[in-house]
Amino acid sequence: MDIRQSTESTESTGGTETIRSTETIRSTEPAPGTQGPHGDVAARHTFATEAVHAGREDLPGMGLHAVPLDLSTTYPSYDSRQEAARIDAFAATGARPDGPPVYARLDNPTVARFETALARLEGTESAVAFASGMAALSACLLARGAQGLRHVVAVRPLYGCSDHLLDTGLLGTEVTWVDPAGIADAIRPDTGLVMVETPANPTLAELDLRAVAHSCGTVPLLADNTFATPVLQRPAERGASLVLHSATKYLGGHGDVMGGVVACDEEFARVLRQVRFATGGVLHPLAGYLLLRGLSTLTVRMRAASATAAELARRLAGDPRVARVHYPRLGGAMVAFEPHGDPHAVIGGVRLITPAVSLGSVDTLIQHPASISHRIVAEGDRRSSGIGDRLLRMSVGLEDVADLWRDLDRALGPF
C-alpha cells in the first residue's frame, strides 16, 4: 500500500531530510542590547544554534546564564509626564515602548525574548505572542477588520476551531472557501486575508506556498505553520506575510504551556500589539519563559519525532488492517491513517499512546478528528475536505519506535 502524500507541493523533498538543523539563518532585526562579549549576534549561525541562543544574547553581559522570569504586572515610574508620553506613543504607533516596561498587558520582558527568538527562527522582522493560537488568529482578523477588510479567503482543511471562527463570522468576518486554484478569483476589494494551513490539520495535505502567495496578489497570506514549525519550513521565505503558530504544540513541546504567536513584519506587528493591548489576549510571562525554553530543543525534538513518525507511517502503510496512510512529503511528526476496522476501537485500545486532543508533546497522542478536533465543522464540509469518519490523527512523540508500534499493533486488533 502506498502512503498518501500531497501531490501539490513542488518544494518539499520527502522523508525527514528537510530538517533544517544545518541551514544558516540571519536575524533581520537584532534586538537592542544584543551586542555582547561574544561578538555580533547578527552573524550567521545554523538553525539549531539560533534555536538555542536567540533571545538570550544579552545574558552574559548581565552576568546571567538562565533567562530571567519577570512576573510583574506593573512597573514603577516617578515621571508621570514621561510615562504619559510613552503610552501616547504606543497608542499612536504600536511600537514597543523605549525604556522600562509600563504594564504587563502592553509588554513584558520575558515574553519579548520569546517573540524575538521566534521571529529570528521564522525569518521575519517581528513576532507578537498571545494567550493561545486562537487568540493570535482572532487578533489578525480584528486587525484587518478594523481597516474595513473583513473578507477572508480560506482553503480547507484548517484546524477545526479556526474553521469555526471563520465560518460563523463571530468576529464580523465573511469567509469564502476555495480550492487553491480558486484563490485569485475569490479575492474582493474588501479581502483582508488569505488563510491556509500546510501541512493541514488533520489530513496533512500540503500546499505550494509560493504558488498560493502568487495567487494572493497584494492580499496578505496567513499561513498556519503549527505542524511543520520553522524547523521544516519558513513560510515567510515563500511569500507568506503572516505566520501563525499554536505555540501550545511543538514550540512548547511538553504539553504544559498554552500560547500563540504571529510572525510578521514590524508594520503589522504594531497593529497586533495594539489589538492585544485592547483585547487583553496577552501571553503570561511564565508561558513566555516555557516557550523560549521549548525553542532551544525544538530542532532535536522535531528530528527525533519525525524519524519515528516516518517509520510508523511506513509500517502502517504495509499493514493490511490499514486502508490509507497520510504522511507529508515535507516530513514531520504527524501521521494520519484510516483503519479498515472501527477507529474508535483503536482509540480505546492504546495503552502507551495517549488518546487526547492537542499535539506536539514529547509523548505520542492520538485522536479521532471527526469526533473531537473537527466535530465543530459541519459534516459535509469535513467530508469534502478529506476528513472521513475513519481518519485518525497521531502526533508522534519521543518514545522508542518499537514500543509505539507494539501499542498500535495491539490496538489495531487481529489481522
Side-chain angles (χ1 to χ4, degrees), residues 283-308:
L283 184 70
H284 190 275
L286 179 57
Y289 175 89
L290 292 172
L291 290 172
L292 183 61
R293 187 175 69 173
L295 290 183
S296 65
T297 61
L298 178 61
T299 306
V300 293
R301 286 188 285 106
M302 285 298 291
R303 180 188 294 121
S306 296
T308 301

Side-chain angles (χ1 to χ4, degrees), residues 246-273:
S246 172
T248 307
K249 312 306 194 294
Y250 289 107
L251 302 189
H254 292 76
D256 57 4
V257 60
M258 185 170 288
V261 64
V262 179
C264 55
D265 62 23
E266 174 60 16
E267 181 180 1
F268 196 74
R270 292 184 177 199
V271 181
L272 289 178
R273 292 188 196 110

Side-chain angles (χ1 to χ4, degrees), residues 297-343:
T297 61
L298 178 61
T299 306
V300 293
R301 286 188 285 106
M302 285 298 291
R303 180 188 294 121
S306 296
T308 301
E311 175 60 17
L312 290 176
R314 185 189 68 80
R315 296 189 187 190
L316 287 166
D319 195 301
R321 296 167 293 181
V322 177
R324 185 177 298 172
V325 176
H326 306 260
Y327 187 68
R329 296 177 185 274
L330 191 68
M334 300 297 299
V335 179
F337 64 98
E338 302 170 41
H340 282 295
D342 182 3

Side-chain angles (χ1 to χ4, degrees), residues 213-260:
H214 179 74
S215 298
C216 293
T218 59
V219 176
L221 170 62
L222 187 159
D224 189 326
N225 201 31
T226 299
F227 276 18
T229 81
V231 175
L232 289 174
Q233 71 179 3
R234 295 202 286 172
E237 294 178 347
R238 303 178 184 184
S241 301
L242 312 173
V243 183
L244 175 71
H245 285 273
S246 172
T248 307
K249 312 306 194 294
Y250 289 107
L251 302 189
H254 292 76
D256 57 4
V257 60
M258 185 170 288

Side-chain angles (χ1 to χ4, degrees), residues 180-222:
I183 290 174
D185 289 339
I187 290 175
R188 309 184 324 206
D190 64 337
T191 301
L193 289 172
V194 174
M195 183 174 180
V196 302
E197 182 176 356
T198 181
N201 186 352
T203 65
L204 304 179
E206 296 174 273
L207 298 176
D208 182 338
L209 283 172
R210 284 197 176 95
V212 170
H214 179 74
S215 298
C216 293
T218 59
V219 176
L221 170 62
L222 187 159

